Amino acid sequence: MTLDISAFKGNFKGDIVTPADADYKKAIARWAANAERPARIVAFVNDTDDVALALQYARANNLQVAICCGGHSASGASSAADGLVIDLSRYLNYAVVDPEKCTARVGGGSVWETVDRESIKHGLATVAGTVNHTGVAGLLLGGGYGYLTGQHGLVIDNLIQATIVTADGTALTLSDTENAELFWGVRGGGANFGVCTEFVLRLHPQRRTVFSGTIVFPTDVMDEVMAELVRWWETAKDEEGILQILGRDPTGRDGVFLTLFYNGSEEEGREIFKRFYDLKPVFDGTREFLYEDLNTQSNATAPRGNNYYMKSTFMSRPRPDAVKRVSERLSELNGAPGNQIQHAFAIDYFPYRKVLSVPQNATAHFRFQRQVAGCVLKWVNNSPEAETAAKCAARELTDIIINAETRVSGANAFTVGYGNLSPETDVERAHTIPGHEFDQTNARALFGPNYERLQHLKARYDPENVFSKWFAIAPAAKLEP
């Protein structure tokens, strides 16, 4: 069916792209090629009025709505097959720093590279993603971790104000003193309540250089590496962090990769991490980085245009036996005859004291002691067989961690994991059970004790579930008796 968009275009200040336009293919392209969907309309919005027009048009024509900021979700959350995509990346991609107030006014379509580079010009920084071409909005609204989490908490803990356009087209300013309940909800509730067009972020004094880089060990010293990692974790300071990656190097050798971080000098960093250097890594890429280059380190291994599948879980503390088993299984998967998928597994060891110092009911994000642990699977030529193989491998690898947590702690592990790293099967499960309007299992797990409060917000601001692409919350009024 062809929809009349002439009136929509006539009042729209940004750009409207349809399949008939020359730049359509570029407009629907995503970081993960397999997250691309054939949208009916892509609306590159210029301001809040454009967002309101796009929402009005989508609702009038019964089109599914997706919001694209950085387009970095491998789950397809920023795409809409035969729907309408509200894309903020073309016109709302700025970061304006106020050095006196230590704040940054950031457009809803910005990526973290923009924030990092503009902030450090003034000797300031905030918590940002470890891949700098990730969109600000997606990472932020889902919680947000980064190298500075130990010192400054989650990304949402540094949000001072937001501008949002709700389902009925109303533009609202959110803060602790204005629309405070909705401000609570967007800090962890994702895009469940509207389109965020601007954020005001708190910035912190930041030294010009930091110590970071990757050291590599062969897997036959896994036991020694994990033993030292456990010892380091017991006394790790807020200025420290380690990103551990299991997988293969470019030459095809299995390895244990540790990206070290210390918010200080190289001399201090090498002393802090001496225990790992004493194990004689086969490669040492650590050095002092300009701060704005810190979050570029993973860019080369996560280029745009590949197919990606991501799934995560949590660890309450380092689990040497489980991590070793994951490494062994990765070796088997990567070495299987005919395998076309690059299987890798990453674990974030960022001190969590600052995060847990924020009360559980202060934001919608569910807080408990945890490290994010998950797989990143990458392949070039997509096919149903490749996607099935990736899904099976991801489930198997994360189950190793989940089973270890359950066995050791005796508690139920959260199988959904970190929402920003969840696959499409978890993110969009709300509409998949025939005969039921909502399957709330995954959303309840993700939001924990905050879920019921979020349901009341959903009923107030999005009762028709216009925003349903990421862990859709069941509006309170639509719950079954």
Side-chain angles (χ1 to χ4, degrees):
M1 179 178 67
T2 301
L3 301 179
D4 181 10
I5 63 172
S6 55
F8 181 21
K9 281 187 172 182
N11 296 308
F12 197 79
K13 294 186 285 292
D15 305 323
I16 294 175
V17 178
T18 71
D21 294 311
D23 58 345
Y24 174 75
K25 186 66 176 176
K26 183 178 179 181
I28 64 170
R30 296 293 181 263
W31 169 69
N34 52 320
E36 178 183 308
R37 305 287 184 270
R40 187 175 298 191
I41 296 173
V42 180
F44 288 97
V45 295
N46 184 273
D47 56 18
T48 57
D49 289 340
D50 275 358
V51 175
L53 284 171
L55 289 171
Q56 181 184 36
Y57 184 84
R59 296 179 70 183
N61 292 281
N62 198 30
L63 296 176
Q64 185 183 45
V65 172
I67 306 166
C68 182
C69 302
H72 209 275
S73 170
S75 72
S78 62
S79 300
D82 204 34
L84 186 148
V85 176
I86 296 173
D87 195 315
L88 295 88
S89 65
R90 186 171 290 182
Y91 296 110
L92 301 177
N93 57 0
Y94 53 84
V96 180
V97 174
D98 185 329
E100 293 185 1
K101 293 182 178 180
C102 291
T103 61
R105 184 167 54 85
V106 180
S110 301
V111 296
W112 284 109
E113 178 182 12
T114 305
V115 179
D116 288 345
R117 294 191 181 280
E118 292 302 313
S119 300
I120 199 61
K121 290 177 182 178
H122 306 277
L124 300 168
T126 193
V127 183
T130 56
V131 177
N132 76 350
H133 52 74
T134 304
V136 170
L139 184 77
L140 185 158
L141 296 173
Y145 299 84
Y147 288 112
L148 299 184
T149 285
Q151 292 177 271
H152 307 306
L154 301 174
V155 179
I156 56 171
D157 298 332
N158 295 277
L159 179 64
I160 298 171
Q161 181 179 295
T163 302
I164 191 171
V165 181
T166 56
D168 65 359
T170 303
L172 299 172
T173 299
L174 312 181
S175 70
D176 283 332
T177 58
E178 193 171 358
N179 298 298
E181 183 67 3
L182 186 53
F183 186 53
W184 172 87
V186 300
R187 286 177 290 168
N192 261 290
F193 306 107
V195 182
C196 286
T197 59
E198 187 174 88
F199 306 100
V200 178
L201 299 176
R202 180 181 298 107
L203 304 179
H204 306 271
Q206 174 59 48
R207 57 177 283 130
R208 195 68 185 80
T209 62
V210 298
F211 176 70
S212 193
T214 300
I215 55 176
V216 183
F217 299 93
T219 54
D220 57 13
V221 295
M222 171 69 80
D223 291 341
E224 292 86 346
V225 171
M226 288 305 301
E228 293 302 337
L229 197 151
V230 170
R231 295 186 186 101
W232 164 79
W233 182 247
E234 290 173 349
T235 59
K237 294 180 172 59
D238 294 342
E239 298 81 8
E240 304 170 24
I242 293 178
L243 173 59
Q244 180 181 36
I245 299 176
L246 311 172
R248 287 192 164 178
D249 66 20
T251 68
R253 293 176 298 184
D254 296 322
V256 184
F257 305 79
L258 301 182
T259 298
L260 309 178
F261 170 71
Y262 174 65
N263 201 353
S265 70
E266 179 172 0
E267 181 181 2
E268 294 169 308
R270 287 190 176 276
E271 181 61 30
I272 287 169
F273 295 115
K274 182 177 182 298
R275 64 177 77 245
F276 298 108
Y277 293 109
D278 288 346
L279 296 177
K280 302 189 184 311
V282 295
F283 174 81
D284 177 7
T286 54
R287 58 183 174 84
E288 277 196 36
F289 281 75
L290 290 173
Y291 174 78
E292 62 266 35
D293 294 334
L294 172 65
N295 292 321
T296 68
Q297 294 181 82
S298 298
N299 289 3
T301 59
R304 190 179 182 92
N306 284 314
N307 299 285
Y308 292 93
Y309 190 84
M310 306 170 76
K311 184 173 178 59
S312 71
T313 183
F314 297 116
M315 295 196 310
S316 58
R317 62 182 67 86
R319 302 288 189 197
D321 291 344
V323 171
K324 184 176 182 179
R325 177 58 189 138
V326 168
S327 177
E328 292 169 345
R329 185 61 184 134
L330 283 169
S331 180
E332 295 167 355
L333 289 166
N334 284 323
N339 171 58
Q340 299 297 315
I341 300 174
Q342 296 180 45
H343 302 78
F345 199 89
I347 306 167
D348 296 342
Y349 296 98
F350 300 136
Y352 220 65
R353 290 177 291 270
K354 184 68 173 180
V355 175
L356 295 179
S357 71
V358 177
Q360 183 67 261
N361 63 356
T363 68
H365 187 76
F366 185 15
R367 298 167 192 265
F368 58 97
Q369 179 59 51
R370 62 190 185 183
Q371 290 87 54
V372 178
C375 51
V376 180
L377 311 183
K378 177 174 65 177
W379 65 100
V380 177
N381 298 313
N382 200 20
S383 66
E385 293 76 18
E387 290 212 348
T388 298
K391 291 175 183 178
C392 291
R395 170 60 67 183
E396 182 180 0
L397 292 166
T398 52
D399 277 352
I400 293 172
I401 302 297
I402 292 169
N403 292 335
E405 280 290 316
T406 304
R407 183 178 64 254
V408 175
S409 68
N412 292 326
F414 291 91
T415 57
V416 170
Y418 177 38
N420 285 343
L421 299 180
S422 292
E424 187 172 11
T425 49
D426 288 350
V427 167
E428 293 195 346
R429 190 180 174 189
H431 304 287
T432 60
I433 296 185
H436 292 266
E437 187 170 0
F438 279 90
D439 169 23
Q440 302 174 64
T441 305
N442 287 344
R444 282 191 180 277
L446 182 71
F447 300 118
N450 296 321
Y451 185 66
E452 291 186 6
R453 185 174 170 185
L454 286 166
Q455 289 181 285
H456 290 284
L457 272 176
K458 189 74 167 178
R460 179 177 178 183
Y461 291 102
D462 186 23
E464 297 176 6
N465 211 35
V466 172
F467 305 108
S468 62
K469 293 290 293 181
W470 189 83
F471 292 96
I473 296 164
K478 292 196 172 187
L479 296 180
E480 297 179 4

